[in-house]
Amino acid sequence: MRTQVGIVGAGPAGLMLSHLLHRHGISSVVLESRSREYVEHRVRAGVLEQGSVDLLRDTGLGARLDREGLRHEGIELRFDGESHRVAMTELTGRAITVYGQQEVVKDLIAARLAAGGTILFSAEATRLSGLESPSPVVHYRHEGRDEELHCDFVVGCDGFHGVSRSAVPDGVLHTYERTYPFAWLGVLAAAAPAVEELIYAHHERGFALYSMRSPEISRLYLQVPADEDIADWPDERIWAELRTRLETVPGWTLNEGPILEKAITPLRSFVVEPMQWQRLYLAGDAVHIVPPTGAKGMNLALADVALLGDAFAAWYADGRTDLLDDYSRTALRRVWRAQQFSWWMTSMLHRLDADDPYEAKLQSATLRYLTTSPAYATSLAENYVGLPLV
Ligand code: RFL
Ligand code: PHB
């Protein structure tokens, strides 16, 4: 098979890139190791920055998002038995939209297929070759056969565990990394959200987050130790812990309901530089991971491919190489802004070292400062709603 841009991975990054390229008249093929059913039902992120919403709307993907997405103009910080609102829209003029990542993925798949695009599901890329030549190849396995996808460029959008990054020779990439001694236990529950805005709760037993997906579905997270086993968390234990960490404000109670899904995700900060080598470009979780506390992962993935879409358009239309050459440097500016913000939110809100009371006092001081200083709150708000693309 031959195409102009070979894309590995049908997450938000790979699918959006294919959609953007199509709008510029550039052909692409997306290879995805999982089934369509699997990627459309994988529960992950839920928060879209204003810039991501604008990108979806401006490229014809706004209809269901505008109907079903929940626009939020603030978030709540809960700590020391108090609740404080960060009025994001008042402070920045912008808002976020709660719309599940799998809904973005469904909308993108539907749009690509309606436009005659090629997404091969259950097609696992096994290795890349010829990246230093003008016609690189993605080797993949599909329906029991080894196949080749020949293209002008390869874009690795295959997430943290993908194969694309490892095609770069040793010594070229620099890795910057931080692991945290805790993870998030996330649940999806058939319970009407008890609040209209997200609650980020700092508690002596650990962080908790109250989010949602719709007027009927709540999405909740608990900080747990990194090596925690999900089998040790029957539903009743989860609800009890959520009540302890979230019901800290007089008169506020959690709405409970059947738990539809639960999983534990480790927290990690990770960046690989540069985001390009020869004819291979890397985007999204394949080159950078943030802990989810800042709600930045999916947004960064979309921002990367927005740059790549324009860069390939300039190359195919006018033979311009400047945008492709600048891709890594430009994208990394946003990536590192999000790294710092996500690390800061994570450090402020999680229980860090139980034996260090000084740390806990610092966290309280930071949170209190946020609730008393519009200048500091604006810094949180402008990062959370997202700084303008590029
Ligand atoms: P994805 O979504 O991981 O997609 C990569 C795709 O590549 C496929 N793949 C391969 N295909 C072919 N051949 C191979 N060899 C392959 N290897 C892998 C995979 O099957 C997959 O389909 O990466 P992408 O597109 O870069 O998107 C990144 C986002 O998924 C990720 O950053 C977010 O989910 C992170 N995240 C959040 N981001 C936000 O912006 N806002 C949030 O509120 C938010 N909350 C979260 C999150 C991630 C979480 N988890 C579970 C990691 C909450 C959680 C709990
Ligand atoms: C979510 O709704 O899944 C979500 C919201 C905010 C975060 C992380 C995840 O910071």
Side-chain angles (χ1 to χ4, degrees):
M1 199 162 35
R2 166 134 207 112
T3 191
Q4 289 176 304
V5 179
I7 299 173
V8 187
L15 291 167
M16 177 54 95
L17 178 62
S18 179
H19 177 65
L20 295 173
L21 293 175
H22 169 71
R23 291 172 56 84
H24 289 296
I26 302 165
S27 71
S28 66
V29 168
V30 181
L31 302 175
E32 166 58 50
S33 56
R34 304 286 193 156
S35 68
R36 178 175 179 183
E37 165 78 13
Y38 184 91
V39 299
E40 288 191 341
H41 292 94
R42 187 164 45 191
V43 179
R44 282 194 170 172
V47 172
L48 290 170
E49 295 176 354
Q50 181 87 58
S52 301
V53 169
D54 294 344
L55 177 69
L56 289 160
R57 275 195 195 132
D58 294 348
T59 60
L61 295 165
R64 197 161 70 93
L65 169 67
D66 286 335
R67 270 198 321 276
E68 297 176 18
L70 309 169
R71 180 183 154 92
H72 286 201
E73 302 197 338
I75 56 169
E76 201 178 312
L77 298 174
R78 217 167 255 197
F79 63 99
D80 294 349
E82 296 172 27
S83 191
H84 296 273
R85 181 170 189 262
V86 179
M88 294 181 309
T89 303
E90 223 173 280
L91 294 167
T92 68
R94 283 172 285 145
I96 55 131
T97 298
V98 173
Y99 189 65
Q101 177 169 324
Q102 74 273 32
E103 307 307 326
V104 174
V105 164
K106 278 182 208 159
D107 293 346
L108 280 164
I109 291 175
R112 286 309 297 125
L113 297 181
T118 306
I119 308 168
L120 285 189
F121 292 99
S122 308
E124 184 176 8
T126 49
R127 90 192 152 85
L128 313 178
S129 66
L131 293 168
E132 289 168 278
S133 80
S135 51
V137 180
V138 185
H139 302 261
Y140 65 99
R141 214 169 155 74
H142 186 49
E143 294 174 346
R145 283 195 300 274
D146 289 321
E147 308 276 5
E148 293 182 355
L149 173 64
H150 294 250
C151 32
D152 301 331
F153 297 95
V154 179
V155 184
C157 300
D158 46 354
F160 183 67
H161 301 287
V163 294
S164 301
R165 204 172 57 233
S166 59
V168 179
D170 288 350
V172 173
L173 300 179
H174 293 270
T175 301
Y176 302 85
E177 187 161 27
R178 176 152 303 181
T179 53
Y180 301 87
F182 39 80
W184 279 18
L185 190 173
V187 304
L188 196 66
V195 278
E196 295 196 339
E197 294 180 342
L198 273 59
I199 303 173
Y200 287 80
H202 177 265
H203 190 274
E204 60 192 14
R205 291 178 59 83
F207 170 70
L209 171 61
Y210 200 126
S211 182
M212 63 207 69
R213 284 295 176 271
S214 73
E216 297 84 36
I217 303 283
S218 299
R219 176 82 170 138
L220 304 119
Y221 298 97
L222 284 171
Q223 175 188 353
V224 295
D227 53 2
E228 200 74 345
D229 184 351
I230 192 76
D232 293 334
W233 286 87
D235 295 2
E236 191 33 55
R237 181 175 177 205
I238 294 175
W239 287 117
E241 195 61 37
L242 284 166
R243 283 195 300 269
T244 303
R245 296 188 197 179
L246 286 163
E247 291 183 347
T248 55
V249 178
W252 193 88
T253 52
L254 200 62
N255 284 347
E256 297 180 20
I259 289 185
L260 308 172
E261 206 175 299
K262 54 182 165 185
I264 292 180
T265 310
L267 263 61
R268 177 183 283 126
S269 295
F270 169 86
V271 183
V272 154
E273 296 188 5
M275 292 167 61
Q276 177 238 340
W277 182 72
Q278 303 287 346
R279 291 227 165 189
L280 171 66
Y281 291 79
L282 298 164
D285 278 18
V287 262
H288 43 70
I289 299 282
V290 282
T293 328
K296 287 286 162 259
M298 169 169 50
N299 295 294
L300 280 180
L302 294 173
D304 286 351
V305 299
L307 290 175
L308 279 177
D310 288 344
F312 284 125
W315 194 85
Y316 280 104
D318 306 315
R320 275 173 54 190
T321 58
D322 55 330
L323 296 183
L324 281 175
D325 292 345
D326 285 347
Y327 165 67
S328 177
R329 202 163 45 83
T330 308
L332 282 166
R333 282 206 294 268
R334 168 178 289 273
V335 167
W336 278 107
R337 174 93 303 283
Q339 288 287 335
Q340 188 276 336
F341 176 66
S342 304
W343 162 85
W344 175 74
M345 287 283 279
T346 302
S347 314
M348 173 173 73
L349 287 163
H350 289 73
R351 173 185 158 129
L352 298 174
D353 181 349
D355 299 328
D356 185 358
Y358 182 81
E359 194 82 65
K361 287 285 184 191
L362 279 186
Q363 290 177 316
S364 278
T366 308
L367 283 160
R368 193 148 304 281
Y369 183 34
L370 270 175
T371 62
T372 52
S373 159
Y376 203 37
T378 303
S379 170
L380 186 160
E382 72 176 2
N383 279 279
Y384 196 82
V385 299
L387 294 158
L389 283 185
V390 186

